[in-house]
Amino acid sequence: LTRVAGYRCLSLLPPAKRCSSRVQLLVAAPSSQLMAGPLLLPLIAHGWLAAPRAPPLPAMCSRRGGAAVMVDAFVLDRLREMRKVHDELGAQLEDPAVQANVEEMLRVSRERSKLDSTVEALAEWESLEQRLEEGKELFNEEDAELREMARAEIREVEEAMEALDGRLKLLLLPTDPNDDKNVMFEIRAGTGGDEAAIWANDLLSLYSRYAQSQGWQSRVVSASDSDAGGVRDATLEIKGESVYSKLKFEAGVHRVQRVPATETQGRVHTSTATVAIMPEVDEVAVEIKPGDIEMHAARSGGAGGQNVNKVETAIDLTHKPTGIRLFVTQERSQLKNKELALQMLRAKLYQMQVEEQQAAVASQRKMQVGTGSRSEKIRTYNYKDSRCTDHRLGSNFALDGVLTGQIEPIIQQCIALDEQERLKELGLDQ
């Protein structure tokens, strides 16, 4: 029989004879020919010939050593809810009443655009699910070539789904409402005297270069120079795309260990500077009562022409309840300096509110994003070893690159760590 039909290995056992012996038929033909073989049909019909079993589906691969990573039903439900909101916002854009209101239309458009990536990722996942089901159906075919094609397709789809799994979970994380905002970036000299002021000035240069590398616009809106050549404090206004989303990780204490230029015996000194990141806020977000402000005009002095030195264009502003004092001389007109001073004050007051809220929550997360904590030592710059250590990451980076503003790798790692911790809080880190 095998010489005539050339079939695969089969088990032949006549049911009428209760014996344990089996005759093995060694075959080489495809399974599609096997089932259609006219010589074997009578044997199969009498139950004497066991039809061959298809090999099992290929095992799903995973980084975690189990079945392929599949998105939880909870995650998919949440993502589909977000897609529903995306569709509802799209319907609002078609509403004539919304179209007649430019501000409302812009607001709805911004909210909808924030969900675009979620909708696209969910559609990609559902497409992969469909491909996976089609691959499984194809694998049940009897043709060996079709099964091999299905095996490759299933493996490819599973790898794509595993890569997409992490993205989908990240899309569930609540976004910081300040991420898209511009910032007021404040640097203050800490412990270390004149060397601390020089270090603060070095940080000012570092972040100006980083802003330039990101295509952002930056300018110094306030600065108090030090006699030693540095700055006691300086405030940068940085504008661009998603500025706060990256720079919020830079808030805290920056420590430097080096031999100062004024040191005659070659001893290493330790100095610090503090960085605070304040997102720009509008008048609605922070209310400033006129009676809480004491404001005076003054002459700016210094370079800038006769108008700066002879006309009172500078603004000296004090916020009585908090004692915050701002002396703004950046602009050449008193009105613009007044607007800038109020803008800086709103940013400071908003940051104080955020700090109070987060202190009440007492989050135990390692990153403490957005607190602007001046007591948290986040980074040490060691000149002797040419090493920059980020204490949150526990990683070292080349100092030369960092000092020239190449801090994007550090910030990206901080973003990744923050996302991992937030996923853990939501129970989605598995």
Side-chain angles (χ1 to χ4, degrees):
L1 180 63
T2 57
R3 284 196 296 268
V4 175
Y7 293 122
R8 293 186 177 184
C9 174
L10 298 171
S11 298
L12 185 62
L13 178 62
K17 297 181 179 180
R18 302 292 181 177
C19 64
S20 59
S21 61
R22 290 177 181 264
V23 179
Q24 299 297 325
L25 303 180
L26 302 179
V27 227
S31 58
S32 58
Q33 294 181 14
L34 182 149
M35 297 308 297
L39 294 176
L40 297 185
L41 288 178
L43 297 178
I44 296 174
H46 285 82
W48 292 352
L49 190 62
R53 295 182 179 179
L57 288 173
M60 294 181 173
C61 303
S62 171
R63 288 187 303 265
R64 294 190 280 271
V69 177
M70 303 297 288
V71 173
D72 297 335
F74 166 77
V75 175
L76 289 176
D77 289 343
R78 289 285 303 275
L79 292 173
R80 289 183 178 120
E81 289 176 4
M82 295 168 73
R83 180 169 60 185
K84 184 178 179 181
V85 174
H86 181 271
D87 294 340
E88 292 173 352
L89 292 172
Q92 290 184 30
L93 291 176
E94 302 296 328
D95 188 345
V98 174
Q99 294 177 352
N101 188 330
V102 177
E103 291 185 2
E104 179 65 12
M105 187 172 182
L106 290 175
R107 184 193 68 80
V108 174
S109 296
R110 285 194 297 268
E111 292 298 320
R112 186 173 186 269
S113 64
K114 292 179 181 179
L115 297 175
D116 285 346
S117 58
T118 302
V119 173
E120 293 171 1
L122 179 58
E124 183 180 351
W125 177 267
E126 291 175 340
S127 175
L128 289 172
E129 280 187 322
Q130 183 177 356
R131 286 178 57 190
L132 183 62
E133 290 301 319
E134 293 173 352
K136 290 180 178 179
E137 292 178 4
L138 186 63
F139 194 81
N140 290 327
E141 295 291 334
E142 297 166 355
D143 188 274
E145 293 183 3
L146 289 178
R147 282 204 302 272
E148 190 59 34
M149 290 173 57
R151 188 189 302 274
E153 173 73 3
I154 291 173
R155 185 179 297 111
E156 178 183 341
V157 170
E158 287 174 350
E159 291 175 355
M161 295 178 80
E162 186 173 8
L164 186 58
D165 174 81
R167 277 179 52 201
L168 290 175
K169 290 178 179 178
L170 290 178
L171 290 170
L172 284 184
L173 293 177
T175 57
D176 190 329
N178 295 320
D179 276 352
D180 295 332
K181 294 183 178 180
N182 303 322
V183 304
M184 289 292 181
F185 193 101
E186 184 183 74
I187 304 173
R188 288 182 177 273
T191 58
D194 290 339
E195 169 63 10
I198 295 174
W199 171 235
N201 191 62
D202 291 342
L203 287 178
L204 180 63
S205 174
L206 185 162
Y207 287 109
S208 296
R209 292 182 178 183
Y210 175 67
Q212 184 179 7
S213 71
Q214 296 296 304
W216 300 335
Q217 298 178 358
S218 66
R219 62 168 184 161
V220 178
V221 297
S222 176
S224 300
D225 295 333
S226 168
D227 296 335
V231 291
R232 290 190 297 273
D233 61 79
T235 301
L236 274 172
E237 181 185 40
I238 304 179
K239 295 183 177 182
E241 183 179 355
S242 303
V243 176
Y244 184 78
S245 67
K246 291 187 175 183
L247 289 182
K248 64 185 178 182
F249 295 96
E250 298 304 294
V253 176
H254 295 247
R255 183 177 68 173
V256 62
Q257 295 175 330
R258 64 183 179 184
V259 179
T262 56
E263 172 60 45
T264 59
Q265 299 182 14
R267 292 176 299 183
V268 175
H269 288 219
T270 299
S271 305
T272 63
T274 58
V275 169
I277 315 297
M278 299 166 287
E280 289 184 348
V281 292
D282 52 31
E283 297 180 11
V284 178
V286 176
E287 180 184 2
I288 301 177
K289 298 178 181 179
D292 292 341
I293 296 176
E294 184 176 323
M295 188 181 307
H296 303 285
R299 296 182 183 180
S300 296
Q306 294 182 356
N307 181 69
V308 172
N309 293 312
K310 293 183 178 181
V311 181
E312 294 182 339
T313 58
I315 292 295
D316 187 357
L317 181 149
T318 301
H319 186 246
K320 298 176 183 177
T322 60
I324 296 175
R325 184 178 180 182
L326 300 169
F327 188 75
V328 182
T329 63
Q330 181 65 25
E331 303 293 347
R332 290 197 171 191
S333 74
Q334 185 182 118
L335 179 60
K336 290 185 177 179
N337 279 327
K338 178 180 178 181
E339 293 175 351
L340 183 57
L342 289 173
Q343 181 181 352
M344 294 171 64
L345 178 60
R346 280 194 296 270
K348 285 180 174 289
L349 294 177
Y350 179 80
Q351 184 65 13
M352 291 173 65
Q353 293 178 8
V354 171
E355 289 181 19
E356 291 176 359
Q357 293 171 358
Q358 293 187 341
V361 173
S363 173
Q364 297 300 315
R365 287 199 298 118
K366 190 176 182 181
M367 295 303 298
Q368 296 186 3
V369 175
T371 63
S373 173
R374 299 179 188 272
S375 60
E376 181 193 5
K377 181 181 66 177
I378 66 168
R379 204 169 291 151
T380 295
Y381 306 76
N382 189 306
Y383 275 64
K384 180 181 178 181
D385 298 331
S386 297
R387 180 183 67 233
C388 175
T389 302
D390 192 287
H391 301 289
R392 300 161 299 180
L393 301 173
S395 302
N396 296 324
F397 302 86
L399 182 62
D400 292 342
V402 171
L403 293 177
T404 56
Q406 300 175 32
I407 59 174
E408 182 67 11
I410 303 178
I411 290 178
Q412 289 301 325
Q413 289 190 35
C414 287
I415 292 175
L417 179 59
D418 178 61
E419 289 174 343
Q420 290 174 9
E421 292 179 347
R422 290 195 290 156
L423 285 173
K424 187 175 181 180
E425 289 181 354
L426 294 175
L428 299 176
D429 58 324
Q430 300 297 325

